[in-house]
Amino acid sequence: MQMPTDELSATFSALADPTRRAILARLAEGDATVTELAKPFRVSLPAISRHLKVLEGAGLIARNRSAQFRPTRLRAERLNEATAWIEKHREIWESRMDRLDEHLREIQKGQGND
């Protein structure tokens, strides 16, 4: 599997996994330890740690390495970047769909005159 080479790709790759999205949702409520993050899942602590490494690599979380419990916190900046990209492209796609709708209405009008 090829790893993403840019930040936006890394963000979307990290968000592609439902467990990682659930971890981010939990961190939106506040910082948490690995043990706290693992509680709702039926996976091992090492598996949760691997998910956290992916999220950290994508810049979506930060882990405090100096504390004994290593709390993890959400870094919303990368989510904001992904949201901005989605919003920009949503506007383009909606514009194209609007033009297609108008074109189809014109075709239907032309067929009604036969």
Side-chain angles (χ1 to χ4, degrees):
M1 181 174 112
Q2 188 173 354
M3 295 300 292
T5 56
D6 64 87
E7 293 174 355
L8 191 58
S9 293
T11 299
F12 284 125
S13 179
L15 292 173
D17 185 275
T19 300
R20 292 193 286 265
R21 291 191 306 270
I23 289 170
L24 291 176
R26 166 53 186 87
L27 290 173
E29 299 171 7
D31 295 0
T33 64
V34 174
T35 304
E36 292 168 335
L37 293 171
K39 279 184 183 176
F41 303 104
R42 292 184 172 194
V43 296
S44 66
L45 284 177
I48 293 297
S49 290
R50 286 190 295 275
H51 282 298
L52 292 175
K53 284 181 185 179
V54 171
L55 291 168
E56 188 174 27
L60 292 165
I61 64 168
R63 298 170 81 186
N64 184 344
R65 299 196 189 288
S66 63
Q68 179 181 354
F69 296 106
R70 295 184 69 180
T72 302
R73 67 177 173 85
L74 178 66
R75 292 185 62 213
E77 309 85 45
R78 288 287 167 84
L79 290 174
N80 293 339
E81 292 167 9
T83 301
W85 184 91
I86 290 169
E87 183 59 26
K88 174 185 170 189
H89 288 84
R90 183 191 62 78
E91 291 172 5
I92 292 168
W93 299 325
E94 283 183 355
S95 173
R96 289 179 180 169
M97 291 304 293
D98 289 345
R99 288 193 312 265
L100 178 59
D101 283 344
E102 181 60 32
H103 179 69
L104 292 174
R105 278 194 290 277
E106 293 298 320
I107 291 173
Q108 288 173 342
K109 283 181 189 176
Q111 289 176 351
N113 292 334
D114 288 347

